[in-house]
Amino acid sequence: MMSFLQDTEIRPFRIQISQSELDDLRNRLARTRWPDELPDAGWDYGVPLGYLKELAEFWRTSYNWRQHEQRLNGYPQYTTTIDGANVHFLHIRSPEQDAMPLILSHGWPGSIVEFLDLIGPLADPRSHGGDPADAFHLVIPSIPGFGFSGPTREKGWDTRRIARAWAELMKRLGYGQYGAHGGDWGSSISRIVAEVDREHVCGVHVNYLHTVLPNDADLSGLSKEDQERLERAQRYRSAPAGYMRLQSTRPQTLSYALTDSPVGQLAWIAEKFYEWTDPACRVDADRMLTNVMFYWLTRTAGSSARLYYESAKTKGKIGCPVPMGVAVFPYDLALPVRSLAEREYDIVHWTEFEHGGHFAAMEVPDLLVQDLRAFFRRFRSGKLE
Protein backbone atom coordinates (compact mmCIF):
# COMPACT_ATOMS: atom_id res chain seq x y z
CA MET A 1 0.00 0.00 0.00
CA MET A 2 1.25 3.49 -0.84
CA SER A 3 2.06 5.82 2.03
CA PHE A 4 1.89 9.55 1.37
CA LEU A 5 2.04 10.71 4.99
CA GLN A 6 5.78 11.00 5.57
CA ASP A 7 6.90 13.80 3.25
CA THR A 8 4.43 15.81 1.20
CA GLU A 9 6.56 18.94 0.75
CA ILE A 10 6.74 20.42 -2.74
CA ARG A 11 10.22 21.86 -3.29
CA PRO A 12 11.25 24.39 -5.98
CA PHE A 13 13.83 22.98 -8.38
CA ARG A 14 16.28 24.33 -10.95
CA ILE A 15 18.42 22.35 -13.37
CA GLN A 16 22.07 23.11 -12.64
CA ILE A 17 24.51 20.88 -14.50
CA SER A 18 28.14 21.41 -13.59
CA GLN A 19 30.60 22.41 -16.29
CA SER A 20 32.72 19.40 -15.41
CA GLU A 21 29.80 17.14 -16.45
CA LEU A 22 29.58 18.86 -19.83
CA ASP A 23 33.36 18.74 -20.30
CA ASP A 24 33.36 15.04 -19.50
CA LEU A 25 30.67 14.46 -22.12
CA ARG A 26 32.67 16.22 -24.81
CA ASN A 27 35.81 14.31 -23.88
CA ARG A 28 33.98 11.00 -24.07
CA LEU A 29 32.52 11.91 -27.46
CA ALA A 30 36.00 12.83 -28.74
CA ARG A 31 37.39 9.44 -27.58
CA THR A 32 34.62 7.29 -29.08
CA ARG A 33 35.73 3.87 -30.34
CA TRP A 34 33.70 3.43 -33.50
CA PRO A 35 32.66 0.00 -34.80
CA ASP A 36 32.91 -1.21 -38.38
CA GLU A 37 29.94 -1.36 -40.72
CA LEU A 38 28.93 -3.54 -43.65
CA PRO A 39 28.83 -1.76 -47.02
CA ASP A 40 25.41 -0.57 -48.16
CA ALA A 41 23.78 -1.80 -44.94
CA GLY A 42 21.59 1.27 -44.57
CA TRP A 43 19.30 1.01 -41.54
CA ASP A 44 18.77 -2.75 -41.86
CA TYR A 45 21.33 -3.63 -39.18
CA GLY A 46 20.69 -0.61 -36.97
CA VAL A 47 21.85 3.00 -36.93
CA PRO A 48 24.24 3.68 -39.85
CA LEU A 49 27.79 4.63 -38.90
CA GLY A 50 27.90 7.81 -40.98
CA TYR A 51 24.60 9.06 -39.59
CA LEU A 52 25.69 8.57 -36.00
CA LYS A 53 29.17 10.03 -36.50
CA GLU A 54 27.66 13.21 -37.90
CA LEU A 55 25.13 13.45 -35.07
CA ALA A 56 27.79 12.79 -32.41
CA GLU A 57 30.08 15.44 -33.89
CA PHE A 58 27.24 17.96 -33.83
CA TRP A 59 26.62 17.03 -30.19
CA ARG A 60 30.31 17.52 -29.34
CA THR A 61 31.01 20.75 -31.23
CA SER A 62 27.75 22.63 -31.85
CA TYR A 63 25.06 21.59 -29.39
CA ASN A 64 24.57 24.12 -26.56
CA TRP A 65 23.11 22.53 -23.41
CA ARG A 66 23.16 25.82 -21.51
CA GLN A 67 20.71 27.33 -23.97
CA HIS A 68 18.21 24.53 -23.34
CA GLU A 69 18.88 24.47 -19.61
CA GLN A 70 18.02 28.17 -19.51
CA ARG A 71 14.78 27.60 -21.41
CA LEU A 72 13.77 24.75 -19.11
CA ASN A 73 14.55 26.85 -16.06
CA GLY A 74 12.21 29.49 -17.43
CA TYR A 75 9.33 27.21 -16.40
CA PRO A 76 8.38 26.62 -12.75
CA GLN A 77 9.86 23.28 -11.69
CA TYR A 78 9.45 21.32 -8.49
CA THR A 79 10.22 18.02 -6.84
CA THR A 80 8.25 16.08 -4.27
CA THR A 81 8.49 12.63 -2.71
CA ILE A 82 5.66 10.22 -3.50
CA ASP A 83 5.63 6.62 -2.32
CA GLY A 84 9.34 6.86 -1.56
CA ALA A 85 10.29 8.11 -5.03
CA ASN A 86 11.47 11.53 -6.11
CA VAL A 87 9.13 13.13 -8.65
CA HIS A 88 10.32 16.09 -10.73
CA PHE A 89 7.69 18.09 -12.58
CA LEU A 90 6.89 21.30 -14.39
CA HIS A 91 3.84 23.15 -13.11
CA ILE A 92 2.63 25.95 -15.34
CA ARG A 93 -0.38 27.86 -14.09
CA SER A 94 -2.38 29.50 -16.84
CA PRO A 95 -3.06 33.25 -16.59
CA GLU A 96 -6.72 32.26 -17.12
CA GLN A 97 -8.02 31.57 -13.62
CA ASP A 98 -10.72 29.12 -14.73
CA ALA A 99 -8.30 27.01 -16.81
CA MET A 100 -8.65 23.23 -16.72
CA PRO A 101 -5.90 21.24 -14.96
CA LEU A 102 -4.21 18.77 -17.32
CA ILE A 103 -1.45 16.27 -16.56
CA LEU A 104 0.79 15.28 -19.49
CA SER A 105 2.68 11.97 -19.34
CA HIS A 106 5.63 11.07 -21.56
CA GLY A 107 7.02 7.63 -22.36
CA TRP A 108 10.28 6.01 -23.49
CA PRO A 109 12.58 7.17 -25.00
CA GLY A 110 10.93 10.51 -24.34
CA SER A 111 10.94 12.98 -21.48
CA ILE A 112 9.25 16.21 -20.48
CA VAL A 113 11.23 17.76 -23.36
CA GLU A 114 8.55 16.30 -25.65
CA PHE A 115 5.98 18.79 -24.38
CA LEU A 116 7.89 22.07 -24.51
CA ASP A 117 6.19 23.31 -27.68
CA LEU A 118 2.75 22.59 -26.20
CA ILE A 119 3.19 24.68 -23.05
CA GLY A 120 2.58 28.16 -24.43
CA PRO A 121 -0.43 27.36 -26.65
CA LEU A 122 -2.10 25.17 -24.02
CA ALA A 123 -1.47 27.33 -20.95
CA ASP A 124 -1.89 30.72 -22.59
CA PRO A 125 -3.99 30.40 -25.76
CA ARG A 126 -4.84 34.11 -25.64
CA SER A 127 -1.18 34.90 -26.45
CA HIS A 128 -0.97 32.22 -29.15
CA GLY A 129 -3.95 33.07 -31.33
CA GLY A 130 -6.36 30.80 -29.48
CA ASP A 131 -9.49 31.10 -27.37
CA PRO A 132 -8.71 31.82 -23.68
CA ALA A 133 -11.62 29.52 -22.82
CA ASP A 134 -9.38 26.62 -23.94
CA ALA A 135 -6.66 27.30 -21.37
CA PHE A 136 -5.04 24.62 -19.20
CA HIS A 137 -3.06 24.58 -15.98
CA LEU A 138 -0.29 22.13 -16.90
CA VAL A 139 1.40 19.50 -14.76
CA ILE A 140 4.23 17.74 -16.62
CA PRO A 141 6.03 15.16 -14.47
CA SER A 142 9.09 13.06 -15.22
CA ILE A 143 8.23 9.39 -14.69
CA PRO A 144 10.00 7.93 -11.63
CA GLY A 145 13.25 6.49 -12.94
CA PHE A 146 13.39 9.03 -15.80
CA GLY A 147 15.28 12.31 -16.06
CA PHE A 148 15.39 14.52 -13.01
CA SER A 149 12.99 12.30 -11.13
CA GLY A 150 16.17 10.28 -10.89
CA PRO A 151 16.60 6.54 -10.58
CA THR A 152 14.00 4.60 -8.62
CA ARG A 153 15.37 2.95 -5.47
CA GLU A 154 13.14 -0.10 -5.18
CA LYS A 155 11.28 -2.65 -7.25
CA GLY A 156 7.69 -2.36 -8.37
CA TRP A 157 7.49 0.94 -10.25
CA ASP A 158 5.14 -0.19 -12.99
CA THR A 159 2.50 1.87 -14.79
CA ARG A 160 -0.13 1.33 -12.10
CA ARG A 161 2.13 2.57 -9.33
CA ILE A 162 3.06 5.59 -11.44
CA ALA A 163 -0.63 6.34 -12.04
CA ARG A 164 -1.33 6.27 -8.31
CA ALA A 165 1.56 8.66 -7.80
CA TRP A 166 0.11 11.02 -10.44
CA ALA A 167 -3.25 11.00 -8.65
CA GLU A 168 -1.48 11.91 -5.42
CA LEU A 169 0.50 14.65 -7.17
CA MET A 170 -2.65 16.29 -8.52
CA LYS A 171 -4.18 16.08 -5.07
CA ARG A 172 -1.15 17.78 -3.50
CA LEU A 173 -1.38 20.56 -6.05
CA GLY A 174 -4.97 21.16 -4.99
CA TYR A 175 -6.69 20.12 -8.19
CA GLY A 176 -10.17 18.59 -8.12
CA GLN A 177 -11.38 17.63 -11.56
CA TYR A 178 -8.62 17.31 -14.16
CA GLY A 179 -7.79 15.76 -17.51
CA ALA A 180 -4.96 13.41 -18.52
CA HIS A 181 -3.04 13.02 -21.76
CA GLY A 182 -0.20 10.80 -22.88
CA GLY A 183 1.51 8.86 -25.62
CA ASP A 184 3.65 5.71 -25.45
CA TRP A 185 3.83 4.67 -21.76
CA GLY A 186 1.99 7.91 -21.02
CA SER A 187 -1.07 6.50 -22.79
CA SER A 188 -1.22 3.55 -20.40
CA ILE A 189 -0.45 5.72 -17.39
CA SER A 190 -3.18 8.22 -18.29
CA ARG A 191 -5.83 5.53 -18.66
CA ILE A 192 -4.83 3.96 -15.35
CA VAL A 193 -4.95 7.37 -13.65
CA ALA A 194 -8.62 7.44 -14.62
CA GLU A 195 -9.07 3.99 -13.07
CA VAL A 196 -7.41 4.85 -9.76
CA ASP A 197 -8.80 8.41 -9.52
CA ARG A 198 -12.14 8.09 -11.29
CA GLU A 199 -13.74 10.65 -9.00
CA HIS A 200 -11.46 13.42 -10.26
CA VAL A 201 -10.48 12.57 -13.86
CA CYS A 202 -12.97 14.02 -16.35
CA GLY A 203 -11.44 12.61 -19.54
CA VAL A 204 -8.37 10.97 -21.05
CA HIS A 205 -6.76 11.88 -24.37
CA VAL A 206 -4.10 9.68 -25.97
CA ASN A 207 -2.04 9.73 -29.13
CA TYR A 208 -1.03 6.06 -28.92
CA LEU A 209 -3.36 3.12 -28.46
CA HIS A 210 -3.14 -0.62 -29.10
CA THR A 211 -6.32 -2.37 -30.22
CA VAL A 212 -6.69 -6.14 -30.12
CA LEU A 213 -9.08 -8.36 -32.05
CA PRO A 214 -11.18 -10.38 -29.58
CA ASN A 215 -10.95 -14.17 -29.85
CA ASP A 216 -14.54 -14.44 -31.06
CA ALA A 217 -14.27 -11.63 -33.61
CA ASP A 218 -14.12 -11.98 -37.38
CA LEU A 219 -11.64 -10.00 -39.49
CA SER A 220 -14.12 -9.96 -42.36
CA GLY A 221 -16.12 -7.28 -40.58
CA LEU A 222 -13.21 -4.86 -40.79
CA SER A 223 -12.16 -2.71 -43.72
CA LYS A 224 -8.97 -3.57 -45.58
CA GLU A 225 -7.22 -0.63 -43.92
CA ASP A 226 -8.32 -1.74 -40.45
CA GLN A 227 -7.18 -5.30 -41.12
CA GLU A 228 -3.78 -3.99 -42.18
CA ARG A 229 -3.58 -1.90 -39.01
CA LEU A 230 -4.47 -4.86 -36.86
CA GLU A 231 -1.97 -7.16 -38.55
CA ARG A 232 0.75 -4.54 -38.16
CA ALA A 233 0.00 -4.18 -34.45
CA GLN A 234 -0.07 -7.96 -33.97
CA ARG A 235 3.31 -8.31 -35.69
CA TYR A 236 4.73 -5.69 -33.36
CA ARG A 237 3.42 -7.47 -30.27
CA SER A 238 4.33 -11.01 -31.34
CA ALA A 239 7.90 -10.14 -32.38
CA PRO A 240 8.98 -7.27 -30.13
CA ALA A 241 11.92 -5.19 -31.28
CA GLY A 242 15.32 -5.79 -29.72
CA TYR A 243 15.13 -2.75 -27.47
CA MET A 244 11.89 -4.02 -25.91
CA ARG A 245 13.21 -7.54 -25.29
CA LEU A 246 16.36 -6.21 -23.63
CA GLN A 247 14.63 -3.62 -21.47
CA SER A 248 11.94 -6.10 -20.45
CA THR A 249 14.42 -8.81 -19.45
CA ARG A 250 17.93 -7.42 -18.80
CA PRO A 251 17.73 -3.69 -18.04
CA GLN A 252 20.69 -3.80 -15.66
CA THR A 253 23.03 -5.41 -18.17
CA LEU A 254 22.05 -2.84 -20.78
CA SER A 255 22.58 0.04 -18.36
CA TYR A 256 26.37 -0.38 -18.19
CA ALA A 257 26.85 0.35 -21.88
CA LEU A 258 24.38 3.25 -22.05
CA THR A 259 25.52 4.91 -18.84
CA ASP A 260 29.22 4.74 -19.80
CA SER A 261 29.03 5.63 -23.49
CA PRO A 262 27.27 8.78 -24.71
CA VAL A 263 27.38 7.48 -28.29
CA GLY A 264 25.77 4.24 -27.10
CA GLN A 265 23.01 6.22 -25.38
CA LEU A 266 22.62 8.40 -28.45
CA ALA A 267 22.31 5.44 -30.82
CA TRP A 268 19.78 3.71 -28.55
CA ILE A 269 17.46 6.73 -28.68
CA ALA A 270 18.24 8.25 -32.10
CA GLU A 271 17.19 5.00 -33.81
CA LYS A 272 13.67 5.40 -32.41
CA PHE A 273 13.43 9.05 -33.37
CA TYR A 274 14.30 8.04 -36.93
CA GLU A 275 12.08 4.96 -37.21
CA TRP A 276 9.01 6.21 -35.38
CA THR A 277 8.61 9.68 -36.90
CA ASP A 278 7.13 11.15 -40.05
CA PRO A 279 9.97 11.79 -42.56
CA ALA A 280 8.34 15.12 -43.36
CA CYS A 281 8.30 16.17 -39.70
CA ARG A 282 11.61 14.93 -38.28
CA VAL A 283 12.50 16.16 -34.82
CA ASP A 284 15.49 18.50 -35.20
CA ALA A 285 18.86 17.39 -33.82
CA ASP A 286 18.92 20.09 -31.14
CA ARG A 287 15.62 19.00 -29.58
CA MET A 288 16.41 15.29 -29.85
CA LEU A 289 19.80 15.81 -28.17
CA THR A 290 18.16 17.72 -25.33
CA ASN A 291 15.95 14.70 -24.82
CA VAL A 292 19.02 12.42 -24.89
CA MET A 293 20.69 14.69 -22.33
CA PHE A 294 17.85 13.97 -19.90
CA TYR A 295 19.01 10.35 -19.89
CA TRP A 296 22.76 10.98 -20.06
CA LEU A 297 23.11 13.69 -17.41
CA THR A 298 20.86 11.92 -14.90
CA ARG A 299 22.32 8.43 -15.51
CA THR A 300 18.82 7.02 -15.92
CA ALA A 301 19.27 4.70 -18.91
CA GLY A 302 18.93 1.69 -16.64
CA SER A 303 16.22 2.95 -14.32
CA SER A 304 14.05 4.10 -17.23
CA ALA A 305 14.45 0.68 -18.86
CA ARG A 306 13.23 -0.93 -15.65
CA LEU A 307 9.73 0.34 -16.44
CA TYR A 308 9.62 -2.31 -19.19
CA TYR A 309 10.78 -5.02 -16.80
CA GLU A 310 8.30 -4.08 -14.08
CA SER A 311 5.37 -3.65 -16.46
CA ALA A 312 6.10 -6.95 -18.23
CA LYS A 313 5.22 -8.65 -14.94
CA THR A 314 1.93 -6.75 -14.62
CA LYS A 315 -1.11 -8.75 -15.67
CA GLY A 316 -4.57 -7.56 -16.58
CA LYS A 317 -6.17 -5.32 -19.16
CA ILE A 318 -5.99 -1.55 -18.90
CA GLY A 319 -9.45 -0.03 -18.79
CA CYS A 320 -10.59 3.57 -18.74
CA PRO A 321 -13.84 4.42 -16.95
CA VAL A 322 -14.07 7.97 -18.33
CA PRO A 323 -14.62 9.33 -21.86
CA MET A 324 -11.61 9.00 -24.14
CA GLY A 325 -10.23 10.93 -27.09
CA VAL A 326 -7.79 9.40 -29.56
CA ALA A 327 -5.47 11.21 -31.96
CA VAL A 328 -4.05 8.91 -34.65
CA PHE A 329 -0.81 9.88 -36.37
CA PRO A 330 0.08 7.82 -39.47
CA TYR A 331 3.77 7.16 -38.74
CA ASP A 332 3.22 5.80 -35.24
CA LEU A 333 4.37 2.32 -34.23
CA ALA A 334 0.92 0.84 -34.47
CA LEU A 335 -2.37 2.42 -35.49
CA PRO A 336 -5.58 1.65 -33.60
CA VAL A 337 -8.80 0.35 -35.13
CA ARG A 338 -11.69 2.56 -34.07
CA SER A 339 -14.41 -0.11 -34.06
CA LEU A 340 -12.28 -2.27 -31.76
CA ALA A 341 -11.33 0.63 -29.51
CA GLU A 342 -15.01 1.45 -29.09
CA ARG A 343 -15.64 -2.05 -27.71
CA GLU A 344 -13.23 -1.38 -24.86
CA TYR A 345 -13.55 2.34 -24.22
CA ASP A 346 -16.04 5.17 -24.24
CA ILE A 347 -14.60 6.87 -27.33
CA VAL A 348 -16.17 10.29 -27.75
CA HIS A 349 -13.49 11.88 -29.95
CA TRP A 350 -11.36 10.37 -32.74
CA THR A 351 -9.09 12.24 -35.14
CA GLU A 352 -7.04 10.81 -38.01
CA PHE A 353 -4.17 13.07 -39.06
CA GLU A 354 -2.22 13.05 -42.32
CA HIS A 355 1.16 13.84 -40.73
CA GLY A 356 3.04 12.99 -37.57
CA GLY A 357 4.26 9.92 -35.76
CA HIS A 358 5.08 8.55 -32.32
CA PHE A 359 6.51 11.83 -31.00
CA ALA A 360 3.57 13.93 -32.13
CA ALA A 361 4.13 16.63 -29.50
CA MET A 362 7.54 17.32 -31.06
CA GLU A 363 6.74 16.58 -34.70
CA VAL A 364 3.37 18.30 -35.13
CA PRO A 365 2.69 20.26 -31.92
CA ASP A 366 0.10 22.50 -33.56
CA LEU A 367 -2.03 19.50 -34.57
CA LEU A 368 -1.83 17.96 -31.11
CA VAL A 369 -2.71 21.27 -29.43
CA GLN A 370 -5.72 21.59 -31.71
CA ASP A 371 -6.90 18.08 -30.83
CA LEU A 372 -6.40 18.49 -27.08
CA ARG A 373 -8.40 21.72 -27.12
CA ALA A 374 -11.22 20.11 -29.12
CA PHE A 375 -11.47 17.03 -26.90
CA PHE A 376 -11.38 18.72 -23.52
CA ARG A 377 -13.70 21.53 -24.60
CA ARG A 378 -16.65 19.20 -23.96
CA PHE A 379 -15.78 18.99 -20.25
CA ARG A 380 -15.46 22.70 -19.62
CA SER A 381 -19.10 23.06 -18.67
CA GLY A 382 -18.79 20.18 -16.21
CA LYS A 383 -20.74 17.73 -18.33
CA LEU A 384 -20.35 15.92 -21.63
CA GLU A 385 -21.81 17.76 -24.60
Side-chain angles (χ1 to χ4, degrees):
M1 179 179 293
M2 298 179 72
S3 174
F4 303 121
L5 301 179
Q6 295 179 356
D7 180 8
T8 60
E9 180 185 4
I10 294 176
R11 301 170 289 273
F13 178 84
R14 282 180 63 82
I15 302 172
Q16 295 177 303
I17 302 301
S18 69
Q19 188 58 43
S20 62
E21 280 279 338
L22 301 180
D23 293 341
D24 174 69
L25 169 60
R26 290 193 179 91
N27 290 335
R28 287 171 182 263
L29 288 169
R31 300 196 314 271
T32 301
R33 284 181 49 178
W34 293 101
D36 71 328
E37 181 183 47
L38 291 173
D40 302 318
W43 285 83
D44 292 344
Y45 289 76
V47 183
L49 182 61
Y51 175 88
L52 200 64
K53 277 189 171 183
E54 183 178 348
L55 194 54
E57 183 65 8
F58 176 82
W59 195 8
R60 186 181 73 85
T61 61
S62 302
Y63 174 78
N64 184 351
W65 164 256
R66 295 299 185 202
Q67 174 185 335
H68 299 283
E69 183 181 69
Q70 182 178 14
R71 181 184 179 186
L72 286 158
N73 283 333
Y75 299 112
Q77 297 177 67
Y78 304 89
T79 62
T80 190
T81 303
I82 302 179
D83 195 16
N86 180 62
V87 175
H88 163 257
F89 62 99
L90 305 184
H91 184 203
I92 298 93
R93 293 277 302 180
S94 172
E96 311 298 336
Q97 293 304 305
D98 58 350
M100 172 182 287
L102 177 65
I103 186 166
L104 306 177
S105 298
H106 66 83
W108 184 93
S111 67
I112 62 171
V113 173
E114 288 184 58
F115 300 122
L116 293 182
D117 290 338
L118 304 186
I119 292 175
L122 289 180
D124 189 11
R126 188 190 299 269
S127 299
H128 291 79
D131 185 344
D134 287 328
F136 295 93
H137 299 307
L138 299 175
V139 179
I140 311 175
S142 296
I143 293 173
F146 287 68
F148 292 98
S149 284
T152 44
R153 303 298 181 187
E154 59 184 6
K155 299 176 181 178
W157 276 99
D158 59 9
T159 50
R160 187 160 294 276
R161 190 170 178 181
I162 294 164
R164 292 197 298 264
W166 277 193
E168 171 64 16
L169 176 60
M170 297 303 277
K171 178 182 176 182
R172 286 187 192 180
L173 294 174
Y175 291 127
Q177 190 181 64
Y178 62 93
H181 162 78
D184 196 84
W185 283 114
S187 171
S188 299
I189 293 166
S190 297
R191 283 175 281 150
I192 300 172
V193 168
E195 284 189 355
V196 302
D197 200 20
R198 172 66 184 89
E199 182 181 352
H200 300 107
V201 178
C202 63
V204 169
H205 182 278
V206 300
N207 61 272
Y208 180 71
L209 184 67
H210 274 301
T211 47
V212 181
L213 187 71
N215 293 331
D216 59 347
D218 185 355
L219 275 174
S220 63
L222 301 176
S223 68
K224 182 179 179 181
E225 180 186 357
D226 283 346
Q227 290 185 40
E228 290 173 351
R229 287 186 176 194
L230 193 60
E231 290 164 3
R232 174 178 165 186
Q234 288 175 331
R235 284 196 302 272
Y236 182 76
R237 283 192 299 273
S238 60
Y243 82 94
M244 186 180 294
R245 287 188 180 273
L246 277 172
Q247 297 192 159
S248 299
T249 58
R250 293 293 184 270
Q252 186 64 29
T253 303
L254 174 67
S255 71
Y256 300 113
L258 302 190
T259 304
D260 187 59
S261 168
V263 164
Q265 179 69 89
L266 177 62
W268 199 244
I269 291 178
E271 180 183 72
K272 306 312 169 197
F273 272 82
Y274 183 88
E275 291 182 341
W276 299 351
T277 55
D278 184 340
C281 312
R282 294 279 189 224
V283 177
D284 67 72
D286 236 46
R287 181 60 60 83
M288 182 177 68
L289 287 169
T290 300
N291 183 75
V292 172
M293 290 289 268
F294 264 60
Y295 289 82
W296 175 256
L297 295 173
T298 59
R299 295 166 172 77
T300 51
S303 58
S304 61
R306 286 199 291 266
L307 176 56
Y308 284 81
Y309 183 92
E310 299 291 355
S311 296
K313 299 185 295 183
T314 303
K315 304 297 182 183
K317 191 159 85 171
I318 298 174
C320 184
V322 302
M324 269 182 60
V326 181
V328 182
F329 295 93
Y331 287 86
D332 210 339
L333 288 171
L335 305 183
V337 175
R338 181 170 187 171
S339 61
L340 297 180
E342 288 174 339
R343 297 186 186 190
E344 298 185 60
Y345 307 106
D346 179 16
I347 304 293
V348 298
H349 178 93
W350 186 283
T351 312
E352 301 265 350
F353 289 100
E354 295 182 359
H355 294 288
H358 195 65
F359 302 98
M362 302 172 88
E363 299 173 68
V364 284
D366 291 349
L367 297 182
L368 187 55
V369 165
Q370 166 192 317
D371 210 59
L372 284 165
R373 288 173 176 172
F375 171 69
F376 283 107
R377 199 172 287 147
R378 70 189 61 237
F379 304 103
R380 301 277 180 173
S381 62
K383 61 181 181 179
L384 197 64
E385 292 178 356

